[in-house]
Amino acid sequence: MTQATKDASRSAIDKKALLAKYIAERDKRLRADGNAQYLQIKDQLAHYLEDPYTPRVEREPVTDHVTFAFIGGGFAGLVTGARLVEAGITDIRIIEKGGDFGGTWYWNRYPGAQCDTASMIYMPLLEETGHMPSEKYAHAPEILEQCQRIGRKYDLYKNALFHTEVSELNWDEKNSRWLIKTNRGDAFTARFLGMGTGPLHVPKLPGIPGIESFKGHSFHTSRWDYDYTGGDPKGGKLSKLANKRVAIIGTGATSVQCVPHLARACSTLYVVQRTPSSVDVRANKPIDPEWFESIATPGWQKRWLENFTANQAGNMAEEDWVMDGWTDLSRRIRSRIMDLPADKRTPHDMLAAYEDSDFEKMEEIRARVDSIVKDEATAQNLKAWYRQLCKRPCFHDAYLQAFNEPGTHLVDTDGKGVEKITERGFVVGGVEYDVDCIIYASGFEVGTEFTRRAGFDLVGRDGLKLSQAWADGMKTKHGIHVHGFPNAFIVQPTQGANLISNVPHNLTEAGATIAAIIKHAVAHDYKEVEVTKEAQDAWVELLLTNAGMMIGSPDCTPGYYNNEGQTPSPAAKLNVGYPAGAMAYFKYIDEWRNSGDFEGLAFS
Ligand code: NDP
C-alpha cells in the first residue's frame, strides 16, 4: 500500500462516530452486580462440575513425605516437574483435581477445541519430547496428548494423585516442610511446594433466573457430555443431536469454536448472544514434516519463543516466523508508529497511532462479517463494537459461516442476556424458545477470591495466611516467591513476564527458575529458602512503575478483561508484569537464575 492509499483508507473511518457507538454498546451492558451476576457452581448445581471423562478410582490415603509437591497437573505442574527432573530432583508429587494431566486441556474437550496461539510456541517442551505439532493451531486432543507425553517422559505419573483436591496447606516451622491435606484423606509432607492452579479452571454459570428449573438436558462446555451428543473430541459428528433443538448460551472463545460443530449436527441450534466476539481469520494449516525437520535443529523452540515474544511484545524482531493473530496485531501497531515522523513519536501520538490501528482492524473484522453472513440482520448483530483488546480476540474460519446453516439461529439479546430459564427452554425478548438441551458456554470464574477458586488458603510462617498477605493485592518477587511462605513457589504469569498471548512461555521459564533454586538448596543442604521482605518490596515498587496493561479498560464493554466493567479494586494495579516488557523479563530472569546468586532470596 502506498502512503497515499494508506492515508485515504485511514481517513475514511469516522472515529468520533465509532467511539460514540462503542460507548453506547458498553452502556447497554454495564450492570451493577459485576462478577456477582454469575453463579458459583455448588449445592444443587454441583453436578455441572462432575468429571464426564474419567471414572474416579478409590484408593488409600497417602501419608508419606516427598521432596517436591505441586498443586495442579496442567502445563504449570508439568513443565516445573520436567525442569526439576532435569535438575536431578525426581521425588515429585503432582496433585490434580482432574482424572489425568492436562489442566485446561483435560477439561476442555468440547468439539472444535483448539489452541489460538501457534502450536510451535504454545505447546510446551516440544523439543524435549520430540513431538512435531500436526497443525499450525493444534486441536485439543493433541495438546492433551502432549501433556500426557510430558508426564510419561519425566515419570510424573508414578507419584501423581488424580481426582484429588488440596484442602489444607500448613507450613511446619519445626521441621521446615509443608503439611498437605486433601479431600481424599491424604495427609503428607513436602520439603518444597509449587502451585499452578491456572486462571480459568473454575467453570461458572450465568445467574439467569430459573436456571435450576430446566427439565431438559444441560451441561457446561468444560464438561462436554458426549454420551448425550454423540461424537468425540477429535471431531466425530455429534450424531445424537440430529433430532435435537439445542441452545448454546454465550459467544466467547469457547462458543466460537464449538458452534460450527453444533450447527452441522443439530436440527435446530440457537446461539444465544449477549456480546458478539470479534472473529478474525484463522488460516490453520498442517505442518509440513520436511519443513519442520529443516528448522527443528537444536534449540529451535527457544528461538521460536524468543521470536514470538520479540514480535509480540513490541520490540523489533527482524522477521516474524510465527505469523499468528497476535503478532499480526503487534505488527500493525508497530507499522503505524513507524509511519510517524521521528519528532512525532511522543507517548500521546503513539497512543493515537495505536488507537487508529485498532479502529482499522475492527472495521476489517466487521466487514468480514458482512462478507460471510448472508442474512443481513444476523450479520449486523454479529458485529463487535469495541476495541479489539476489550474482549478476548477470536480467530475462526467456520464460526460466522455456521450462521448460513438453515437450522442455526442467532438469538441476540441486545446486550441484556437471557431473561429466564424455564422448564422447557429459555426466554429472550419475552419469547420462550423450547429446547431439548442447553449448553452453557459461560466461561470461568476470574474476579473471585483466589481462595474460593483454589479451594484452599496457604498458611505460612507464624500462621500468616496467603489471603492475609495479599489482602491489598498480590505481592511477590518475580510472581513466584512470597515473603512469609518459605519453600513455596507460584507458577503463573502475573508480576513476571505477564505475556498473556502465550501463557506457557511464562510457565516454562518459571519452572526453570524454580528448578535452579531447588537444585541449589538441595546441593547445599539448605532447609529453607524464602524471599526477603526488602527484595519483595523492591520488586513490587518496580512493578508499580508499569504503565499498565493494554487489555480491557473501563470504557470497554464489560467482561473478565475489565472486571465486568466495575471500577477495579486498588489491588488490581498489582496485576501487572515487568515494566520493561516480556522480552526484557525473560532475559533478566535467565541471568538471575544462572548467576547462582539468587539475589533477594535467603537460604538457611
Ligand atoms: P467467556 O467468559 O469468554 O464467555 C462467556 C460467554 O457467556 C460470553 O459470551 C458472555 O457474554 C456469555 N454470557 C454470560 N452471561 C450471560 C447471560 N446471562 N446471558 C447470555 N450470555 C451470557 O468464556 P469462554 O469459555 O468462551 O472463554 C474463556 C476464556 O478461555 C477465553 O477468553 C480464553 O482466554 C480461553 N479460551 C481459549 C481458547 C483457545 O486458546 N483456543 C478457546 C476457548 C477459551 P458477555 O460477553 O456479554 O459477557
Side-chain angles (χ1 to χ4, degrees), residues 73 75 78 135 142 181 185 199 208 279 345 359-360 366 370 378 380 431 458 487 517 551 565 571 579 598:
F75 282 165
L78 289 166
E135 300 175 282
E142 183 173 343
K181 292 191 179 169
I208 304 171
V279 186
R345 289 189 200 149
F359 283 134
E360 196 177 276
R366 287 185 284 266
D370 283 327
T378 305
Q380 201 49 34
V431 178
L458 203 64
N487 295 11
I517 297 165
I551 66 164
F598 304 107

Side-chain angles (χ1 to χ4, degrees), residues 29 31 37-38 104-105 108 110 112-117 122 138 143 200 204-209 220-222 248-257 272-277 282 326 386 391-395 413 415-419 428 440-444 446 500 557-561 564:
R29 291 170 174 82
R31 39 192 291 169
Q37 70 180 282
Y38 295 106
T104 285
W105 299 103
N108 287 287
Y110 57 83
Q114 184 185 21
C115 169
D116 272 359
T117 301
Y122 180 81
I143 306 175
L200 296 163
K204 65 180 195 257
L205 288 173
I208 304 171
H220 187 273
T221 48
S222 67
I248 179 160
I249 295 182
T251 51
T254 297
S255 182
V256 164
Q257 294 185 331
V272 187
Q273 171 180 276
R274 189 166 68 177
T275 309
S277 277
R282 163 84 302 165
W326 305 108
Y386 44 79
K391 290 244 167 194
R392 168 66 150 71
C394 298
F395 309 92
T413 65
K416 296 185 186 68
V418 175
E419 275 161 49
V428 169
Y440 292 102
S442 45
F444 302 85
V446 174
I500 58 157
T557 184
Y560 79 82
Y561 272 16
E564 299 293 337

Side-chain angles (χ1 to χ4, degrees), residues 195-261:
M195 287 173 294
T197 47
L200 296 163
H201 66 108
V202 179
K204 65 180 195 257
L205 288 173
I208 304 171
I211 196 161
E212 320 81 14
S213 61
F214 182 57
K215 292 267 194 277
H217 197 70
S218 62
F219 56 88
H220 187 273
T221 48
S222 67
R223 306 288 190 274
W224 195 273
D225 188 349
Y226 283 103
D227 282 346
Y228 179 83
T229 63
D232 57 59
K234 295 200 166 165
K237 190 160 183 201
L238 308 171
S239 51
K240 294 187 185 170
L241 296 181
N243 300 314
K244 297 277 194 291
R245 297 157 306 167
V246 175
I248 179 160
I249 295 182
T251 51
T254 297
S255 182
V256 164
Q257 294 185 331
C258 59
V259 157
H261 293 259

Side-chain angles (χ1 to χ4, degrees), residues 14 19 21 69 94 101 158 167 173 187 189-190 228 293 297 351 355 423 433 454 473 484 494 522 531 568 589 600-601:
D14 182 346
L19 268 182
K21 171 83 174 155
I94 294 180
F101 290 131
K158 70 167 193 286
S167 49
E173 193 93 48
T189 54
Y228 179 83
E293 208 181 313
T297 52
L351 200 66
E355 199 167 70
E423 284 189 11
Y433 296 78
T494 311
V522 169
V531 62
I589 200 71
L601 300 189

